[in-house]
Amino acid sequence: MKYSRIGSVLYGSTTCIIALILMATRLSLSRSAHLCLRPTCYISPSYTKNLLQCRACPLWSSSFSLCLHTLHKSSTSPNHHRRKSITVRSFSPAPGSISDHPSTMSMPSDDNPLLKDFDFPPFDVIEAKHVRPGIRALLKKVDEDLEALEKTVEPTWPKLVEPLEKIIDRLTVVWGAVNHLKSVKDNPELRSAIEQVQPEKVAFSLKLGQSKPIYNAFKAIRESPDWDSLSDARKRIVESQLKEAVLSGIALEDDKREQFNRIEQDLAKLSQKFEENVLDSTKKFEKLITDKKDIEGLPATALGLGAQTAVSKGHEKATAEDGPWIITLDAPSYMSVMQHAKNRTLREEVYRAYLSRASSGDLDNTEIINQILKLRLEKANLLGYNNYAEVSMAMKMATVEKAEELLEKLRSASWDPAVKDLEDLKDFCKSQGSPEADDLNHWDITFWSERLRESKYELNEEELRPYFSLPRVMDGLFNLVNMLFGINVEPADGLVPVWNNDVRFYCVKDSSGSPVSYFYFDPYSRPSEKRGGAWMDEVVSRSRVLSRDGASARLPVAHMVCNQMPPVGDKPSLMTFREVETVFHEFGHALQHMLTKQDEGLVAGIRGVEWDAVELPSQFMENWCYHRDTLMGIAKHHETGETLPEDIYKKLLAARTFRAGTLSLRQLRFATVDLELHAKYVPGGSESIYCVDRRVSKRTQVLPPLLEDKFLASFSHIFAGGYAAGYYSYKWAEVLSADAFSAFEDVGLENEKAVKETGQRFRETVLALGGGKAPLEVFVQFRGREPSPEPLLRHNGLLPVTTSA
């Protein structure tokens, strides 16, 4: 067998990996500070919004689901059908209600939608002109409320935690709405408005995080004789608040506190600028092609996209058949070229442009990265830590050492298979008589890998698109979660304001028909205004304190955002299999937010879940894309209704581990360079950030990177997001998610009764408990034991599959 030797070697180290995970999980003292993927969403270390995001390649799990984004086309919107006329009162209790908050009781609303009492954010009318006056009015009021609380605070839940949650919530919801619009409807005016009020917003967040009266009240609760009688959720809240206060600089005095606060302000500005540079540099690259010979090999969908882009740029007569075509660095365009373009020169040009984004000229992020790393190290030292990685790990399951050990175990398991992958690719090129076989370069790898996959498995992703139409994929996804978790997802278009006509809105109901949550779904790419990638974010969280009627908890609301091909003409959005995985992944995040039964708002849903465990539900859901009944229920030809042929399904299963070693190393490169930069790198020293990456690449990349490879300049996960010293979390959580899915495999995936029972147990633990219990305890409650990495290694083809006699 291809992986038999490395598999047997790795099997002997399985217990080592188990020990790494379990030792690290026991070191966790409290819940994770949810680091926002966009620092402009920063509320405070205690209340940061959690934007779970997967950006354009390479940021995914073992299945390497690409976060695709493409050009928006104004065509038939899914909102143009299945609309319902529903009033807000038809759903009770109304989520997002804030009329009973102390911070809104006497606030003048005027004509500013941000200052009105709403159940759902008025996305359709919020404009840049509302941001400055709206946010400043909110900040003034919550600051007054905070000062009042500090004067009257007592170490009791009603006198401390409840008013604190109310103070924060209004600003959380409004600031989240503004920044969400920046992600999906970006424009220069909105950018400027947010940039102007961001320092004031960060200043309030720091004031809140460094409030000694509040800190002392939490400390008094921790030291009170009633401590043991508190619920697990309340204990987690108190312990995390105390630790987060320390990480917010509460112990710092005078000059050191001022220095800390300046660092936080500067980091917020730098991260925002970093993300804007990535977006602008991606949009800046355009290559006009007029000769069809230059794009030979591109599939019809890519030609249509190129012509559609050309039309939007003024080439009104452009057609898919005759051009002209415009190639961009947006993922669908970029990936189509890298996978299918026979023109090697074109592949090289596009590849070099992609890996050098935001690394030169006015959009160069290099110095921004240096400043970010310098400030993060200064922040860590002020807090008494040796490096920023230690600060990051303080609120995670792992430690720096245990994360590094796990990455090395996985790297050593992946290296030999990756070497074999490259050898196989070179042999295949030679067998095809390719002149580049003896000089295989980076811009050739994806192209020839796709040819090898087609040859080996007789699979062509473009030919699979007609079987994966978005409406049917969503119906299949909703049928799956109905079977697993006993919920019904119903369209509720027209109930709430949306930011674009293509946005769908859904209500999630339990088996009795009662609403439990809601979510928005924005599926299509709009590169002129929408950030690339795919992500989930909260709009409002479940909360007993913030209930409209004072009886039932406020229901959670989520965003789910993707960037896939829009409908073309009378055809629905046709998806690649990887895009199907993306939708399942993001819905896994949304499920943990929406199906929580935790009424303590500060640890409900995704809040309070340690960062390196938060990918468990999302990666768990990806596994169902390979489940026969699920996939066959989704994969119907959009014109004929024909089900995906059985032999193609089997080939999809077989191809799941294709080049698994290479793809694993790719993820490990990103995780390792992240830890190197935040644990060992000395800003301003003899080694540059790009030298660090090249050093790491010697151990994580079989084909050495180009000298001009500057992917770090667009690595938004760690420089404009919450994964700084935390990118390892994808692999850490993969161990948990694969083992969780193996519980369903153990009872038999075809045993519907047992699968339903296991699904209910998953819902009542992983999805329901939120951050109210430590992740290891939650996992053990679901699985009946502590986690094992064996299922992950088996799913990735790095262990031999055992069969019974």
Side-chain angles (χ1 to χ4, degrees):
M1 291 179 62
K2 180 178 180 181
Y3 297 122
S4 58
R5 184 173 68 84
I6 187 65
S8 63
V9 172
L10 184 61
Y11 192 82
S13 66
T14 296
T15 54
C16 297
I17 303 179
I18 296 174
L20 294 176
I21 296 171
L22 299 184
M23 288 172 60
T25 52
R26 292 190 182 106
L27 292 173
S28 175
L29 297 178
S30 64
R31 74 180 183 90
S32 164
H34 278 307
L35 302 174
C36 186
L37 286 182
R38 294 179 64 76
T40 50
C41 299
Y42 185 91
I43 299 298
S44 77
S46 305
Y47 298 92
T48 309
K49 286 182 66 58
N50 183 34
L51 178 59
L52 300 165
Q53 173 176 334
C54 175
R55 296 173 185 274
C57 76
L59 311 175
W60 267 90
S61 59
S62 59
S63 61
F64 199 57
S65 306
L66 299 177
C67 302
L68 302 178
H69 52 101
T70 185
L71 188 68
H72 171 70
K73 178 178 176 62
S74 299
S75 58
T76 304
S77 163
N79 269 358
H80 295 165
H81 64 280
R82 297 205 302 177
R83 277 195 180 276
K84 292 187 177 182
S85 177
I86 303 175
T87 63
V88 173
R89 289 176 182 165
S90 66
F91 294 121
S92 179
S97 80
I98 38 78
S99 62
D100 58 341
H101 300 193
S103 59
T104 63
M105 294 297 287
S106 59
M107 185 175 297
S109 63
D110 299 321
D111 293 324
N112 192 323
L114 297 178
L115 301 181
K116 294 183 181 294
D117 176 17
F118 51 76
D119 293 310
F120 299 92
F123 289 118
D124 58 336
V125 295
I126 297 174
E127 299 178 19
K129 65 182 181 181
H130 301 129
V131 173
R132 284 180 289 267
I135 295 299
R136 283 170 175 156
L138 281 171
L139 287 172
K140 183 176 184 296
K141 191 65 178 72
V142 295
D143 187 64
E144 292 171 355
D145 292 337
L146 175 59
E147 291 181 356
L149 174 60
E150 288 178 326
K151 294 176 182 177
T152 61
V153 68
E154 296 177 15
T156 66
W157 219 256
K159 295 290 188 177
L160 169 61
V161 183
E162 293 181 5
L164 191 59
E165 186 178 347
K166 290 178 180 179
I167 287 173
I168 283 298
D169 190 75
R170 174 63 167 172
L171 189 54
T172 301
V173 172
V174 173
W175 188 252
V178 167
N179 281 276
H180 173 71
L181 285 175
K182 184 175 183 292
S183 297
V184 297
K185 202 172 182 178
D186 185 38
N187 61 68
E189 293 76 22
L190 186 58
R191 279 189 188 186
S192 175
I194 291 175
E195 183 178 347
Q196 289 184 43
V197 295
Q198 180 177 270
E200 300 163 51
K201 172 66 182 59
V202 174
F204 173 78
S205 301
L206 290 167
K207 181 177 181 179
L208 173 65
Q210 296 169 357
S211 170
K212 290 197 172 180
I214 291 176
Y215 173 78
N216 290 334
F218 274 115
K219 191 174 180 181
I221 291 179
R222 180 65 181 86
E223 297 170 352
S224 75
D226 297 329
W227 172 253
D228 290 337
S229 64
L230 290 183
S231 67
D232 288 344
R234 291 191 171 187
K235 286 180 179 178
R236 292 261 291 174
I237 289 171
V238 172
E239 289 177 337
S240 67
Q241 293 296 318
L242 291 173
K243 175 165 278 195
E244 288 169 349
V246 173
L247 295 177
S248 297
I250 197 167
L252 302 177
E253 299 292 343
D254 303 329
D255 292 347
K256 287 188 176 181
R257 178 179 289 196
E258 289 183 13
Q259 181 184 356
F260 180 92
N261 291 350
R262 284 197 301 270
I263 288 173
E264 292 291 82
Q265 291 280 10
D266 290 343
L267 283 173
K269 294 176 183 177
L270 289 167
S271 292
Q272 178 174 321
K273 183 62 176 175
F274 181 98
E275 181 67 8
E276 290 172 356
N277 284 350
V278 173
L279 176 62
D280 291 345
S281 63
T282 302
K283 290 163 57 176
K284 187 176 181 180
F285 178 88
E286 293 179 4
K287 182 171 181 61
L288 178 67
I289 296 178
T290 57
D291 190 340
K292 197 166 188 175
K293 292 181 181 179
D294 291 338
I295 53 172
E296 184 180 356
L298 289 190
T301 52
L303 295 175
L305 176 62
Q308 186 172 292
T309 305
V311 170
S312 71
K313 301 295 183 179
H315 301 272
E316 298 177 359
K317 297 182 179 180
T319 65
E321 295 76 18
D322 302 317
W325 307 269
I326 288 182
I327 302 299
T328 72
L329 297 183
D330 293 321
S333 180
Y334 170 76
M335 287 305 299
S336 291
V337 170
M338 300 314 298
Q339 285 183 317
H340 301 293
K342 295 182 179 180
N343 185 339
R344 193 186 190 202
T345 302
L346 175 63
R347 295 201 308 265
E348 179 180 357
E349 180 182 355
V350 172
Y351 177 82
R352 289 181 181 275
Y354 190 85
L355 64 82
S356 61
R357 288 179 302 157
S359 64
S360 62
D362 295 339
L363 301 176
D364 191 349
N365 273 336
T366 304
E367 184 55 32
I368 290 177
I369 293 173
N370 289 329
Q371 287 299 312
I372 288 174
L373 292 173
K374 177 177 178 290
L375 290 171
R376 284 175 177 170
L377 180 58
E378 288 182 14
K379 174 181 174 180
N381 293 158
L382 281 173
L383 294 174
Y385 290 91
N386 294 315
N387 53 65
Y388 186 78
E390 292 181 357
V391 176
S392 174
M393 299 292 184
M395 300 299 290
K396 292 182 171 66
M397 293 176 70
T399 64
V400 176
E401 293 75 18
K402 298 309 175 186
E404 289 176 337
E405 288 178 36
L406 177 61
L407 293 178
E408 176 55 27
K409 292 292 183 182
L410 296 176
R411 189 203 67 81
S412 63
S414 303
W415 181 262
D416 285 353
V419 171
K420 184 66 164 57
D421 287 343
L422 187 58
E423 292 173 354
D424 290 345
L425 202 59
K426 290 180 178 179
D427 291 343
F428 178 73
C429 286
K430 290 179 180 178
S431 72
Q432 301 301 302
S434 169
E436 57 215 50
D438 295 326
D439 183 33
L440 214 59
N441 218 314
H442 292 279
W443 45 86
D444 305 315
I445 299 297
T446 304
F447 176 82
W448 284 108
S449 295
E450 190 66 13
R451 305 291 80 74
L452 176 58
R453 191 172 71 93
E454 292 170 356
S455 172
K456 188 173 183 178
Y457 304 105
E458 297 179 338
L459 277 179
N460 183 307
E461 277 211 350
E462 289 298 318
E463 293 176 0
L464 293 180
R465 276 189 191 267
Y467 289 96
F468 297 117
S469 66
L470 177 63
R472 191 174 290 277
V473 167
M474 299 307 291
D475 286 344
L477 175 58
F478 298 158
N479 288 336
L480 173 65
V481 296
N482 172 261
M483 186 269 290
L484 290 177
F485 310 128
I487 60 174
N488 293 298
V489 182
E490 300 181 0
D493 299 311
L495 171 65
V496 301
V498 294
W499 53 93
N500 184 279
N501 287 335
D502 288 334
V503 176
R504 302 296 309 274
F505 189 71
Y506 294 92
C507 175
V508 180
K509 298 183 178 181
D510 61 21
S511 56
S512 69
S514 299
V516 296
S517 56
Y518 307 86
F519 71 96
Y520 301 81
F521 180 38
D522 185 353
Y524 308 134
S525 173
R526 298 184 298 275
S528 64
E529 63 179 12
K530 183 179 178 183
R531 194 178 69 236
W535 65 91
M536 171 267 162
D537 193 10
E538 66 174 53
V539 181
V540 298
S541 65
R542 182 179 174 92
S543 172
R544 170 187 55 83
V545 172
L546 295 163
S547 167
R548 170 76 83 175
D549 61 11
S552 304
R554 180 182 68 178
L555 302 186
V557 184
H559 294 306
M560 197 171 92
V561 183
C562 295
N563 268 289
Q564 62 198 51
M565 189 78 72
V568 177
D570 58 354
K571 292 182 180 181
S573 173
L574 301 179
M575 307 168 67
T576 66
F577 184 68
R578 289 171 177 174
E579 288 176 315
V580 175
E581 289 178 301
T582 298
V583 169
F584 273 62
H585 179 104
E586 300 307 332
F587 199 63
H589 285 310
L591 286 171
Q592 188 172 31
H593 174 67
M594 297 190 296
L595 297 188
T596 186
K597 293 186 177 180
Q598 177 58 254
D599 288 343
E600 295 290 347
L602 303 185
V603 288
I606 56 178
R607 291 185 174 188
V609 180
E610 276 76 352
W611 192 263
D612 38 13
V614 82
E615 293 289 337
L616 191 169
S618 56
Q619 295 178 157
F620 164 81
M621 286 299 295
E622 286 186 52
N623 288 284
W624 292 100
C625 295
Y626 295 90
H627 177 232
R628 186 185 182 284
D629 289 349
T630 300
L631 186 65
M632 291 307 198
I634 288 173
K636 308 281 187 182
H637 197 284
H638 75 99
E639 291 178 337
T640 67
E642 173 194 5
T643 301
L644 186 75
E646 181 71 22
D647 65 320
I648 295 183
Y649 166 67
K650 291 180 179 178
K651 291 171 183 175
L652 271 175
L653 284 183
R656 186 177 186 182
T657 57
F658 178 60
R659 294 177 58 79
T662 299
L663 299 180
S664 176
L665 282 185
R666 187 174 175 85
Q667 286 282 72
L668 293 169
R669 173 193 176 189
F670 304 136
T672 304
V673 75
D674 170 35
L675 285 182
E676 283 279 333
L677 290 174
H678 288 103
K680 301 174 182 177
Y681 176 67
V682 179
S686 59
E687 194 176 33
S688 74
I689 56 172
Y690 301 117
C691 289
V692 173
D693 179 43
R694 282 193 287 274
R695 175 164 51 79
V696 168
S697 295
K698 291 180 180 179
R699 299 169 50 249
T700 57
Q701 196 164 323
V702 177
L703 186 65
L706 301 178
L707 288 176
E708 58 268 41
D709 185 337
K710 295 185 177 180
F711 97 93
L712 284 172
S714 58
F715 198 0
S716 296
H717 262 66
I718 68 172
F719 296 119
Y723 285 88
Y727 194 82
Y728 77 91
S729 299
Y730 278 103
K731 285 300 181 185
W732 190 276
E734 254 190 295
V735 171
L736 304 177
S737 64
D739 197 1
F741 186 73
S742 73
F744 293 82
E745 295 175 318
D746 289 348
V747 302
L749 292 175
E750 308 312 315
N751 185 341
E752 186 171 327
K753 181 176 182 294
V755 166
K756 284 183 176 180
E757 291 172 352
T758 309
Q760 282 300 309
R761 193 167 72 249
F762 187 88
R763 178 182 175 181
E764 294 300 319
T765 53
V766 176
L767 300 181
L769 296 176
K773 276 194 174 185
L776 179 59
E777 294 179 32
V778 174
F779 186 90
V780 171
Q781 191 171 333
F782 164 67
R783 196 68 177 94
R785 59 165 174 74
E786 294 178 330
S788 164
E790 191 273 340
L792 173 62
L793 301 174
R794 174 167 49 83
H795 290 168
N796 285 353
L798 299 175
L799 279 182
V801 179
T802 57
T803 57
S804 57

